[in-house]
Each structure stands twice: as C-alpha cells, then as structure tokens.
Amino acid sequence: MQTVDLLLIHAEQLVTCAGGGKPKRGEQMRDAGMIVDGALAVRDGRILAVGTTRDITAQYRAERTINASGKAVIPGLVDCHTHTVYAGNRLDEFEMRIQGRSYMEIMAAGGGIMSTVRATRAMPFEMLYAESRARLDTMLRLGTTTAEIKTGYGLDTETELKILTVITQLAAEHTLTIVPTFLGAHAVPPEYPDAATYAGMVVHEMLPAVTATQTMARQPFFIDVFCEKGVFDVATSRQVLAAGKRAGMGVKAHVDEFVNLGGVTMAVELGAASVDHLDVTPEAELDILGRSGTVGVALPAVNFNLGGTHFANARYLVDAGGILALATDINPGSAPTPSMPMVMAIATRYQKLLPAEALNAATLNAAYAIGLGEQVGSLEVGKQADFLVLDTPDYRAMIYEFGGNLVESVVVRGRLLA
Ligand code: NIG
Ligand code: FE
C-alpha cells in the first residue's frame, strides 16, 4: 500500500478525456474516456494513477480523500484563446450593434479594438493587473484551470510590454496555468499610414522587445495576428508570424472571422499550433486543416454575441479528421464571456457537436492548441492534477444546462480550492 497526497474516489463518472499522448480526431472525439465509479491518486500535484475506486483503493491510501459519490469529475477546462487583459467595456457598441451597425463597421469608424486600446493604454499597471486577475478568478469558478492570454490592446511597444508583464505576473501568481501570446498585430493603430508600415514596426521593434522579456527555452510562448480583410492581409500576416517563428515562438492566427482570405492555408504551411475562428473557412481549406497537425479553434461565443446565425463548420472539421478545440475568446467586443461551459452549450446546439466532442475540444485538444498537450487537458498519469467535481452525476448536464454553474469544486495541481 502506497501513501499519496490525495485520493479522489467514487466519482459516479470519472471523465478522463484521455488521448494517450495525442490530440483527438474524428471518431475519437465521441469517446470521453469515462470510468464508472472512478478514482484518482495524486502525488506532488500530479496524477499518479487513474482507475476504478476498487483498483485505486487497493493500491493507495492518503491523508486526504475526496469522496465524489453521486458526482461527475472532469478535467479542468482549458481556455486556449483569450484576451483577458483589457481595460473598460464596449457597452455603447453593444447597443449600436443591437440597432444594426456591424462589428467591422464600428471598427472601421475607429471604435472596436481601438476603443479598448485607448482604455488599456490609459490604465495604470496595477489596476490592469487587478481587473484581469478578477476575471481569471471568475473563469476559475466556472471551471477553467488553464488559459492562454493574448496581448493586443496596446499596439505600441510600451503598452504591449505592460500587458505582457501583467500576463507573466498573473502566470506567476494566479492559480491558473497561463500561456502568453504576443498579438501586436491585432489592429493597425491610427498613428501608422498602413498595415504594412505598422507590421514592419511590430517585427523590427516590438517583437525583439517582447522576446527579450521571456525565457523562451521551456515555456510555450506564441505569436498571433488578426488576418482579416481591412486589417492584416495574408502576405503581411505571414511576415509577422514567420518573424515570430524565427524568434522561437509558436504560431497562431485569427483567420476567416468575416472574410475568407486563405489564412488557414498560410498558417498550416508555417506549422501553426492553431488557427482560430474559422467562421467562413471553405471546405477545401478545412480539408487541408484536417490533414494537418494544426488545431482548429472554434469560438462560437463570438457568433452568439454578435447575434449571428452562422457558425464555424466545426462538424465538418471533426468529420474531416481535424483537431478541433473550443475557447471563449473572452474580450470586451466580440465575446464578453468568461464561461467555457457556455461555449460548450452553444457549440453543441449550433455546431452539432455531441457533449463528448465539445468536452474533448474544451480540454485535451485545447491543451494541444497552446503547447501543453503533455501537461494538462486530461486525467492521465503524469499530468497536472487539475479537475472539477460537478454537482451532477452525469457530465453532460454541464453542457445541457446553461447559464448556471455546475462546478462544485475545483482542484488545481492537487490542491482543493475553497
Ligand atoms: O478574436 N477578431 C479580432 N480580435 C478579437 C476581438 C477583439 C475585440 O473586439 O476587442 C476576436 O474576436
Ligand atoms: Fe481573439
């Protein structure tokens, strides 16, 4: 009998999302990896063993035991695309959109991303840190235990570095596992005559300043770009991403949110970790994505929030054998939501994903989208002991019900949070 730090026993459903060292594709997405009357043994914040309660209690005992009888237990959720660090809100634009103005019209008129940039430039570091931290607290209560966070509301070197410092300080101090992404090419600020000139500054001035602040060797660190008509075209996006790649960063891209430009093909050629949005990606490019190792990240809270009835064809990507992930895209404009369960609720209804597919997309595959596929996203031996005890015996209820919160308790790195 071995003594461990923590045992979780008698989970009605222990939903492991186990991938065996790989992300899930196609038919595998329908398998949530469920163990009935499941148990976990945890040591030093990592999962030491997974099995039935009978098997695990025959081998291990612990000082501390969580009895999850009558409850479903799932991996901590992984929000692989967020803009959590921002100032202010866009309540006036929300009303403008309700009255018929479009997201891109508002952006072209100097609102949208630029309005959040102005607020973020003006906000002192401490306040930006405190407000972002509070957002992460909310995400954690809703079950998110790992998040990627992008810069991109600075668009000058000083403010991009301020945001990146907020992110790295949150990574050091917050319970969540956090992965930073540099999104200097999020919009073209009005100080610049055109996208190419601004992108040149991003590559030659911002990027070296940003990479100088990071220890690139071990931690995942990404570069991202908003590849969209009227923002950065494919050629300019490729230059920015290639420069990040040469500096040792992983590649991500916002593509095909409104207009299809061929960004998926470009990003897959660069070996991107993920391509995100995919709202208007044609089947031919979803086929290319489906054959690649690049994760396709759908952000259906954006379509929902913008009042759209059209959603990314996530069903097609899964059926084409691609790696699908889901994320909130939390930001004050296109997706003001901290809730991964809400995202799964939308994805099941409008993108025709089964609950098991949505959960695998929000955990294991999302972890692969941010370079943490070996560390988090499933309940497998050796991974971080990040899991959620749900106030329901059937995990599907977390996706079937919406607007509430079925997360009863959150365990991160083997520590039960109050
Ligand atoms: O992922 N599309 C570009 N960027 C964000 C929106 C940011 C904003 O509106 O502030 C997105 O949707
Ligand atoms: Fe985004």
Side-chain angles (χ1 to χ4, degrees), residues 211-234:
T211 52
T213 67
Q214 301 288 306
T215 42
M216 305 288 290
R218 281 182 317 115
Q219 312 288 15
F221 184 33
F222 292 92
I223 188 158
D224 194 348
V225 63
F226 187 14
C227 180
E228 183 60 50
K229 184 165 187 273
V231 194
F232 297 98
D233 62 19
V234 172

Side-chain angles (χ1 to χ4, degrees), residues 81-83 86 90 93 97 103-104 107 111-117 150 152-153 183 186-187 224-228 231 254-255 257-258 276-277 279 299 302 306 328-335:
H81 179 139
T82 91
H83 305 255
Y86 62 83
R90 305 239 285 273
E93 293 179 8
R97 285 201 314 273
Y103 176 85
M104 287 309 276
M107 181 165 170
I113 293 171
M114 275 318 298
S115 110
T116 301
V117 168
K150 300 174 197 297
Y153 290 123
L183 178 57
H186 193 196
D224 194 348
V225 63
F226 187 14
C227 180
E228 183 60 50
V231 194
H254 286 67
V255 293
E257 184 176 355
F258 300 103
D276 304 41
H277 282 292
D279 298 296
L299 306 165
V302 173
L306 298 181
T328 60
D329 197 15
I330 178 173
N331 73 76
S334 67

Side-chain angles (χ1 to χ4, degrees), residues 275-288:
V275 282
D276 304 41
H277 282 292
L278 307 171
D279 298 296
V280 294
T281 308
E283 291 182 357
E285 273 192 288
L286 290 176
D287 286 332
I288 291 170

